[in-house]
Amino acid sequence: MFYSPSARNAQRVLSRYLNNKVKVDRVKHIQAVALDGMPRQPPSGNSQEQQMVKMIDASDEITAVDAAVKKLKPKPRKLIRYMYMTYQDKASDWLDLLDSLGIPITDRHWNEYVAVSLEAFAEVYRNGELRESANQNW
């Protein structure tokens, strides 16, 4: 699949991260069908082999995202991990994140920091090279 480094594509890739983690964990628990002498049912299109292929693809995607995030500087890394790679339940967690990153609580500043972080991720995803402009140290 062709990947074009842009903030929109980075957001698309990152938004699937948690879903891929669930797929990988779910496939680990697949069990073989027990043979009991009953007539064989027609295949449903969701065989074990297909599930394993999906799990391998999801696992590769998780590995690529993790590797790209590790290449980022601390603040963009923390923002990306918190927004796309963890589950958040409380508003106080967001406020703690903003405070730890030194981001003012305004829409304009928030959107700028998110855009810079996504652009930096987009550049390093799938073995890309990082330009200094996209990985600013805030």
Side-chain angles (χ1 to χ4, degrees), residues 36 82 107 109 112 119:
D36 59 3
Y82 190 80
D107 286 343
H109 287 101
E112 287 175 7
E119 288 172 16

Side-chain angles (χ1 to χ4, degrees), residues 54-69:
K54 287 179 184 178
M55 190 269 306
I56 291 169
D57 290 343
S59 181
D60 288 345
E61 186 68 20
I62 289 168
T63 303
V65 170
D66 287 340
V69 170

Side-chain angles (χ1 to χ4, degrees), residues 14-23 84-87:
L14 288 166
S15 66
R16 292 190 307 247
Y17 181 83
L18 291 175
N19 189 20
N20 286 336
K21 289 280 254 194
V22 170
K23 283 182 190 176
Y84 296 102
M85 301 171 81
T86 60
Y87 296 104

Side-chain angles (χ1 to χ4, degrees), residues 22-112:
V22 170
K23 283 182 190 176
V24 169
D25 291 340
R26 186 181 312 139
V27 173
K28 288 179 184 175
H29 302 292
I30 293 177
Q31 295 180 355
V33 178
L35 300 175
D36 59 3
M38 296 297 293
R40 186 169 181 200
Q41 296 291 328
S44 64
N46 198 9
S47 68
Q48 261 188 309
E49 292 84 12
Q50 290 172 334
Q51 289 179 359
M52 289 300 289
V53 168
K54 287 179 184 178
M55 190 269 306
I56 291 169
D57 290 343
S59 181
D60 288 345
E61 186 68 20
I62 289 168
T63 303
V65 170
D66 287 340
V69 170
K70 286 180 184 178
K71 293 178 184 178
L72 298 175
K73 287 188 178 175
K75 288 184 179 183
R77 181 183 323 134
K78 189 172 186 177
L79 184 66
I80 294 284
R81 280 188 178 154
Y82 190 80
M83 286 184 64
Y84 296 102
M85 301 171 81
T86 60
Y87 296 104
Q88 300 86 29
D89 294 330
K90 298 181 263 176
S92 62
D93 292 342
W94 284 100
L95 295 175
D96 291 342
L97 173 71
L98 292 173
D99 187 43
S100 71
L101 294 175
I103 300 174
I105 305 175
T106 63
D107 286 343
R108 184 177 68 82
H109 287 101
W110 173 255
N111 292 335
E112 287 175 7

Side-chain angles (χ1 to χ4, degrees), residues 108-132:
R108 184 177 68 82
H109 287 101
W110 173 255
N111 292 335
E112 287 175 7
Y113 289 119
V114 170
V116 167
S117 297
L118 288 172
E119 288 172 16
F121 174 83
E123 289 183 6
V124 297
Y125 177 70
R126 295 283 181 188
N127 299 322
E129 293 298 320
L130 186 64
R131 291 184 319 208
E132 197 57 38

